[in-house]
Amino acid sequence: MSNEIQFNQTLQDWSEVYMRHSFREFKQFMDANGLSPSQVITLFRLSHGGPCGVSEIGTQLGVTNAASSQLIDRLVVLGLIERTEDPSDRRAKQLTITSKGRSVLEQGITARSKWMETLTTQLTPEQRVTVIAALTMLTSCAAKFGEEA
């Protein structure tokens, strides 16, 4: 097996293990908090992209404004987002994430990465140094690749 093929296969194997574990942990978190994937995507959008309107959420999720309004209503009732008048257009509503919403997202991220804490205890200090170097290199390369696209 060539080095490139072996590298690609190893990276694919790691990705599958990582995704399976992190999604399982995150799914358990979502279920425990009564959140759907669309609601979590909405929270991440508001957390990372700042305030926006209902239609922008609908467009991002690929759903109608009515469907996004229902999803948003639930997040408002849970106190995870606020819906206020858009200062530039009083007819439109602006959505922002609340501090409680940010806290819930942080809990989800922590839940998703919890298994990695256990994994790292299985590695020797020397192995951790090797993994750090490899992942730093891979992350840097991937970030540059993403900028060029």
Side-chain angles (χ1 to χ4, degrees), residues 67-81:
S68 61
S69 287
Q70 283 184 327
L71 171 141
I72 289 162
D73 287 343
R74 172 98 170 107
L75 293 173
V76 169
V77 167
L78 292 171
L80 304 177
I81 65 172

PDB file of all heavy atoms in Angstrom, residues 67-81:
ATOM      1  N   ALA A  67     -41.975  27.154   9.135  1.00  0.00           N
ATOM      2  CA  ALA A  67     -41.273  26.076   9.854  1.00  0.00           C
ATOM      3  C   ALA A  67     -40.172  26.647  10.746  1.00  0.00           C
ATOM      4  O   ALA A  67     -40.012  26.218  11.894  1.00  0.00           O
ATOM      5  CB  ALA A  67     -40.690  25.069   8.863  1.00  0.00           C
ATOM      6  N   SER A  68     -39.435  27.626  10.242  1.00  0.00           N
ATOM      7  CA  SER A  68     -38.377  28.212  11.078  1.00  0.00           C
ATOM      8  C   SER A  68     -38.981  28.988  12.240  1.00  0.00           C
ATOM      9  O   SER A  68     -38.416  28.998  13.332  1.00  0.00           O
ATOM     10  CB  SER A  68     -37.422  29.075  10.257  1.00  0.00           C
ATOM     11  OG  SER A  68     -38.079  30.152   9.646  1.00  0.00           O
ATOM     12  N   SER A  69     -40.146  29.600  12.043  1.00  0.00           N
ATOM     13  CA  SER A  69     -40.812  30.305  13.147  1.00  0.00           C
ATOM     14  C   SER A  69     -41.200  29.338  14.259  1.00  0.00           C
ATOM     15  O   SER A  69     -41.033  29.665  15.444  1.00  0.00           O
ATOM     16  CB  SER A  69     -42.056  31.036  12.655  1.00  0.00           C
ATOM     17  OG  SER A  69     -41.708  32.164  11.917  1.00  0.00           O
ATOM     18  N   GLN A  70     -41.687  28.155  13.916  1.00  0.00           N
ATOM     19  CA  GLN A  70     -42.044  27.156  14.930  1.00  0.00           C
ATOM     20  C   GLN A  70     -40.809  26.716  15.706  1.00  0.00           C
ATOM     21  O   GLN A  70     -40.838  26.613  16.931  1.00  0.00           O
ATOM     22  CB  GLN A  70     -42.690  25.934  14.280  1.00  0.00           C
ATOM     23  CG  GLN A  70     -44.121  26.157  13.872  1.00  0.00           C
ATOM     24  CD  GLN A  70     -44.729  24.873  13.319  1.00  0.00           C
ATOM     25  OE1 GLN A  70     -44.043  24.059  12.692  1.00  0.00           O
ATOM     26  NE2 GLN A  70     -46.016  24.699  13.559  1.00  0.00           N
ATOM     27  N   LEU A  71     -39.738  26.469  14.996  1.00  0.00           N
ATOM     28  CA  LEU A  71     -38.486  26.058  15.626  1.00  0.00           C
ATOM     29  C   LEU A  71     -37.989  27.164  16.561  1.00  0.00           C
ATOM     30  O   LEU A  71     -37.574  26.890  17.681  1.00  0.00           O
ATOM     31  CB  LEU A  71     -37.472  25.790  14.506  1.00  0.00           C
ATOM     32  CG  LEU A  71     -36.033  25.554  14.848  1.00  0.00           C
ATOM     33  CD1 LEU A  71     -35.490  24.476  13.945  1.00  0.00           C
ATOM     34  CD2 LEU A  71     -35.213  26.804  14.671  1.00  0.00           C
ATOM     35  N   ILE A  72     -38.061  28.391  16.116  1.00  0.00           N
ATOM     36  CA  ILE A  72     -37.619  29.543  16.901  1.00  0.00           C
ATOM     37  C   ILE A  72     -38.494  29.735  18.131  1.00  0.00           C
ATOM     38  O   ILE A  72     -37.995  30.039  19.218  1.00  0.00           O
ATOM     39  CB  ILE A  72     -37.564  30.798  16.009  1.00  0.00           C
ATOM     40  CG1 ILE A  72     -36.385  30.659  15.039  1.00  0.00           C
ATOM     41  CG2 ILE A  72     -37.479  32.074  16.836  1.00  0.00           C
ATOM     42  CD1 ILE A  72     -36.450  31.574  13.836  1.00  0.00           C
ATOM     43  N   ASP A  73     -39.815  29.543  17.962  1.00  0.00           N
ATOM     44  CA  ASP A  73     -40.735  29.679  19.103  1.00  0.00           C
ATOM     45  C   ASP A  73     -40.289  28.800  20.263  1.00  0.00           C
ATOM     46  O   ASP A  73     -40.290  29.224  21.423  1.00  0.00           O
ATOM     47  CB  ASP A  73     -42.166  29.315  18.703  1.00  0.00           C
ATOM     48  CG  ASP A  73     -42.827  30.365  17.835  1.00  0.00           C
ATOM     49  OD1 ASP A  73     -42.336  31.509  17.793  1.00  0.00           O
ATOM     50  OD2 ASP A  73     -43.852  30.030  17.192  1.00  0.00           O
ATOM     51  N   ARG A  74     -39.928  27.574  19.959  1.00  0.00           N
ATOM     52  CA  ARG A  74     -39.498  26.636  21.003  1.00  0.00           C
ATOM     53  C   ARG A  74     -38.226  27.133  21.687  1.00  0.00           C
ATOM     54  O   ARG A  74     -38.109  27.061  22.911  1.00  0.00           O
ATOM     55  CB  ARG A  74     -39.269  25.252  20.388  1.00  0.00           C
ATOM     56  CG  ARG A  74     -38.646  24.243  21.321  1.00  0.00           C
ATOM     57  CD  ARG A  74     -39.664  23.332  21.953  1.00  0.00           C
ATOM     58  NE  ARG A  74     -38.996  22.246  22.632  1.00  0.00           N
ATOM     59  CZ  ARG A  74     -38.903  22.158  23.957  1.00  0.00           C
ATOM     60  NH1 ARG A  74     -39.445  23.059  24.727  1.00  0.00           N
ATOM     61  NH2 ARG A  74     -38.274  21.140  24.501  1.00  0.00           N
ATOM     62  N   LEU A  75     -37.280  27.658  20.917  1.00  0.00           N
ATOM     63  CA  LEU A  75     -36.041  28.175  21.499  1.00  0.00           C
ATOM     64  C   LEU A  75     -36.298  29.413  22.353  1.00  0.00           C
ATOM     65  O   LEU A  75     -35.636  29.609  23.374  1.00  0.00           O
ATOM     66  CB  LEU A  75     -35.023  28.484  20.393  1.00  0.00           C
ATOM     67  CG  LEU A  75     -34.493  27.265  19.631  1.00  0.00           C
ATOM     68  CD1 LEU A  75     -33.627  27.711  18.449  1.00  0.00           C
ATOM     69  CD2 LEU A  75     -33.719  26.332  20.540  1.00  0.00           C
ATOM     70  N   VAL A  76     -37.272  30.226  21.958  1.00  0.00           N
ATOM     71  CA  VAL A  76     -37.645  31.399  22.752  1.00  0.00           C
ATOM     72  C   VAL A  76     -38.265  30.948  24.071  1.00  0.00           C
ATOM     73  O   VAL A  76     -37.904  31.443  25.144  1.00  0.00           O
ATOM     74  CB  VAL A  76     -38.608  32.329  21.970  1.00  0.00           C
ATOM     75  CG1 VAL A  76     -39.206  33.394  22.879  1.00  0.00           C
ATOM     76  CG2 VAL A  76     -37.883  32.976  20.792  1.00  0.00           C
ATOM     77  N   VAL A  77     -39.187  29.975  24.015  1.00  0.00           N
ATOM     78  CA  VAL A  77     -39.837  29.458  25.226  1.00  0.00           C
ATOM     79  C   VAL A  77     -38.798  28.880  26.184  1.00  0.00           C
ATOM     80  O   VAL A  77     -38.895  29.055  27.408  1.00  0.00           O
ATOM     81  CB  VAL A  77     -40.912  28.396  24.865  1.00  0.00           C
ATOM     82  CG1 VAL A  77     -41.375  27.628  26.083  1.00  0.00           C
ATOM     83  CG2 VAL A  77     -42.086  29.057  24.159  1.00  0.00           C
ATOM     84  N   LEU A  78     -37.778  28.216  25.653  1.00  0.00           N
ATOM     85  CA  LEU A  78     -36.716  27.645  26.483  1.00  0.00           C
ATOM     86  C   LEU A  78     -35.752  28.705  27.016  1.00  0.00           C
ATOM     87  O   LEU A  78     -34.894  28.405  27.844  1.00  0.00           O
ATOM     88  CB  LEU A  78     -35.925  26.590  25.693  1.00  0.00           C
ATOM     89  CG  LEU A  78     -36.676  25.310  25.332  1.00  0.00           C
ATOM     90  CD1 LEU A  78     -35.854  24.459  24.370  1.00  0.00           C
ATOM     91  CD2 LEU A  78     -37.023  24.533  26.595  1.00  0.00           C
ATOM     92  N   GLY A  79     -35.881  29.927  26.533  1.00  0.00           N
ATOM     93  CA  GLY A  79     -35.005  31.008  26.974  1.00  0.00           C
ATOM     94  C   GLY A  79     -33.625  30.964  26.346  1.00  0.00           C
ATOM     95  O   GLY A  79     -32.686  31.571  26.866  1.00  0.00           O
ATOM     96  N   LEU A  80     -33.486  30.272  25.215  1.00  0.00           N
ATOM     97  CA  LEU A  80     -32.188  30.116  24.574  1.00  0.00           C
ATOM     98  C   LEU A  80     -31.911  31.212  23.543  1.00  0.00           C
ATOM     99  O   LEU A  80     -30.753  31.490  23.233  1.00  0.00           O
ATOM    100  CB  LEU A  80     -32.076  28.743  23.924  1.00  0.00           C
ATOM    101  CG  LEU A  80     -32.306  27.553  24.881  1.00  0.00           C
ATOM    102  CD1 LEU A  80     -32.235  26.243  24.123  1.00  0.00           C
ATOM    103  CD2 LEU A  80     -31.310  27.586  26.028  1.00  0.00           C
ATOM    104  N   ILE A  81     -32.979  31.803  23.004  1.00  0.00           N
ATOM    105  CA  ILE A  81     -32.825  32.937  22.098  1.00  0.00           C
ATOM    106  C   ILE A  81     -33.880  33.985  22.441  1.00  0.00           C
ATOM    107  O   ILE A  81     -34.888  33.685  23.089  1.00  0.00           O
ATOM    108  CB  ILE A  81     -32.919  32.547  20.603  1.00  0.00           C
ATOM    109  CG1 ILE A  81     -34.313  32.032  20.240  1.00  0.00           C
ATOM    110  CG2 ILE A  81     -31.858  31.545  20.233  1.00  0.00           C
ATOM    111  CD1 ILE A  81     -34.495  31.821  18.742  1.00  0.00           C
TER     112      ILE A  81
END
